[in-house]
């Protein structure tokens, strides 16, 4: 089950995420996994133009960062990162298909939530 982090934990996740380029600079209070100002591919542009997908992206970014922190530099960190890179390719293959993007995010969020159980 997803367990909220305390203030110190969130700061550690954010610092670690910045160091590996997971979280872009927040825009208007958002902390999505990439900067909408720099979105160039169809999937990112679609996400930036859909509030529901932005929320899912923010949720996913937090869960992914938490999974990396929990792995704490072990071999699991590399496995989680490689798995996430494969998922990003699949997400980007959706292009601007909102249903495909939603399904992709839902599946990845569910997977990361189960990992933290």
């Amino acid at each position: 089950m997803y367990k909220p982090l305390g203030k110190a934990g969130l700061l550690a996740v954010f610092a670690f995420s910045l160091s590996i380029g997971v979280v872009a600079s927040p825009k208007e209070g958002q902390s999505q996994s990439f900067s909408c100002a720099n979105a160039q591919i169809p999937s990112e542009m679609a996400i930036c133009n859909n509030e529901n997908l932005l929320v899912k992206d923010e949720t996913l970014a937090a869960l992914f960062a938490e999974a990396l922190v929990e792995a704490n530099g072990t071999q699991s960190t590399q496995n989680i990162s490689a798995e996430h890179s494969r998922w990003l390719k699949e997400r980007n293959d959706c292009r601007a298909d909102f249903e495909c993007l939603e399904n992709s995010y839902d599946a990845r969020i569910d997977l990361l939530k189960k990992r933290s159980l």
Side-chain angles (χ1 to χ4, degrees):
M1 176 172 241
Y2 175 71
K3 296 170 265 180
L5 297 174
K7 184 176 181 181
L10 286 174
L11 289 174
V13 168
F14 185 72
F16 182 75
S17 298
L18 283 176
S19 72
I20 62 169
V22 173
V23 178
S25 300
K27 179 182 176 188
E28 297 177 356
Q30 296 174 343
S31 60
Q32 65 269 8
S33 64
F34 61 93
S35 171
C36 283
N38 297 326
Q40 295 181 354
I41 60 175
S43 60
E44 290 178 348
M45 289 186 281
I47 293 162
C48 290
N49 288 302
N50 182 291
E51 186 65 32
N52 191 42
L53 289 172
L54 273 174
V55 169
K56 288 177 189 260
D57 190 72
E58 292 169 8
T59 300
L60 181 81
L63 289 168
F64 176 62
E66 186 174 322
L68 289 174
V69 169
E70 286 176 4
N72 195 24
T74 65
Q75 179 64 35
S76 292
T77 302
Q78 291 177 345
N79 294 342
I80 292 166
S81 293
E83 181 182 273
H84 197 70
S85 292
R86 286 189 297 273
W87 173 79
L88 280 171
K89 183 188 177 322
E90 291 174 18
R91 180 204 71 182
N92 292 340
D93 286 346
C94 288
R95 303 194 47 82
D97 180 337
F98 290 105
E99 184 176 350
C100 179
L101 288 165
E102 290 224 9
N103 291 337
S104 180
Y105 270 97
D106 289 343
R108 183 71 176 144
I109 288 168
D110 285 346
L111 182 76
L112 288 171
K113 282 181 177 179
K114 287 177 185 171
R115 180 185 297 278
S116 66
L117 291 179

